[in-house]
Amino acid sequence: QVQLRESGPGLVLPSQTLSLTCTVSGGSISSGGYFWSWIRQHPGKGLEWIGYIYYSGSASYNPSLKSRLTISVDTSKNQFSLKLTSVTAADTAVYFCAAGGIRGLMFRFDPWGQGTLVTVSS
Amino acid sequence: EIVLTQSPGTLSLSPGERATLSCRASQSVSSFYLAWYQQKPGQAPRLLIYGASSRATGIPDRFSGSGSGTDFTLTISRLEPEDFAVYYCQQYGNSPLITFGQGTRLDIK
């Protein structure tokens, strides 16, 4: 079964770029039907969808983050990545990667990675 | 922009009781595109229900989902100790494409 794991720095300086990678195991990132997704959760708060990418490279972003956001995919490494520029303390959150998608006509996120805390601070 | 409003914010119940959680959308959501998740402290969310009423693999049948249009409900028929957690609804399709409700915290009374 598909499993996901996030990796990347836990601390980012303000105004710098936050970069995370999600490694997919147990299946090919190139298999159809999955929207490889990023979701974040501010401390003690709810869930916020960041964006997703299809294996072809086609991506959709949350409009609130779109101007700072790039999501890319590397099928040779079975990975997809997130880059968020010009970060501030408001970007401090737990970042999850997840396999979203419409399967059997119905959309859901399943499975999820364990999440990684990224703190923006000097 | 679509908003999902979950109620109540916090629900305090005892094991064995029935829990009813509500998710109301500011505009109509396709039932195919409404899902529910459970999250425990320090863990990633876990898919419970998709397509408004289909249980995910391995989810006990005490969890059920219902609803259509703008009103959706997650029901836990008889609460077990492991069910006390935060629950989120989520929609796909309306701008900004994917949104989550703010969550309902289910506490032990």
Side-chain angles (χ1 to χ4, degrees):
Chain A
Q1 70 198 46
V2 173
Q3 294 183 308
L4 299 90
R5 178 176 289 271
E6 306 88 351
S7 58
L11 180 65
V12 181
L13 296 174
S15 80
Q16 299 301 300
T17 297
L18 183 161
S19 296
L20 295 173
T21 294
C22 183
T23 300
V24 179
S25 60
S28 172
I29 203 168
S30 299
S31 60
Y34 286 104
F35 302 161
W36 302 104
S37 306
W38 290 100
I39 295 156
R40 70 180 182 180
Q41 186 169 37
H42 295 103
K45 302 298 183 182
L47 300 164
E48 179 184 27
W49 172 68
I50 297 172
Y52 65 62
I53 192 164
Y54 200 53
Y55 75 94
S56 63
S58 174
S60 289
Y61 298 153
N62 189 321
S64 68
L65 297 168
K66 187 175 183 178
S67 63
R68 300 191 291 130
L69 181 62
T70 302
I71 298 177
S72 59
V73 63
D74 187 337
T75 55
S76 66
K77 295 182 178 178
N78 232 32
Q79 295 176 334
F80 61 104
S81 298
L82 163 75
K83 289 189 186 299
L84 186 64
T85 62
S86 305
V87 297
T88 69
D91 295 307
T92 293
V94 175
Y95 286 76
F96 297 99
C97 58
I102 299 173
R103 302 186 285 282
L105 299 179
M106 292 174 278
F107 183 92
R108 64 271 203 188
F109 289 112
D110 183 49
W112 296 59
Q114 63 186 18
T116 186
L117 174 63
V118 179
T119 301
V120 179
S121 175
S122 56
Chain B
E1 176 177 315
I2 189 171
V3 176
L4 299 181
T5 301
Q6 292 187 240
S7 61
T10 302
L11 185 58
S12 297
L13 294 170
S14 300
E17 291 192 292
R18 180 185 186 92
T20 303
L21 287 67
S22 173
C23 176
R24 179 161 292 177
S26 59
Q27 54 189 274
S28 186
V29 174
S30 167
S31 295
F32 287 143
Y33 298 156
L34 193 288
W36 290 91
Y37 303 84
Q38 176 194 67
Q39 188 179 33
K40 296 180 180 180
Q43 296 184 16
R46 178 175 71 146
L47 175 69
L48 295 176
I49 300 288
Y50 61 96
S53 61
S54 296
R55 269 188 305 277
T57 302
I59 300 304
D61 61 7
R62 64 180 181 273
F63 291 90
S64 63
S66 63
S68 64
T70 60
D71 289 295
F72 298 89
T73 300
L74 174 69
T75 301
I76 311 171
S77 59
R78 286 176 55 86
L79 286 166
E80 297 287 343
E82 62 268 27
D83 298 336
F84 292 91
V86 179
Y87 293 84
Y88 295 96
C89 58
Q90 171 254 316
Q91 71 84 34
Y92 166 85
N94 292 302
S95 178
L97 196 56
I98 296 171
T99 49
F100 292 88
Q102 85 280 15
T104 289
R105 180 181 303 277
L106 181 54
D107 286 343
I108 298 178
K109 189 172 183 179

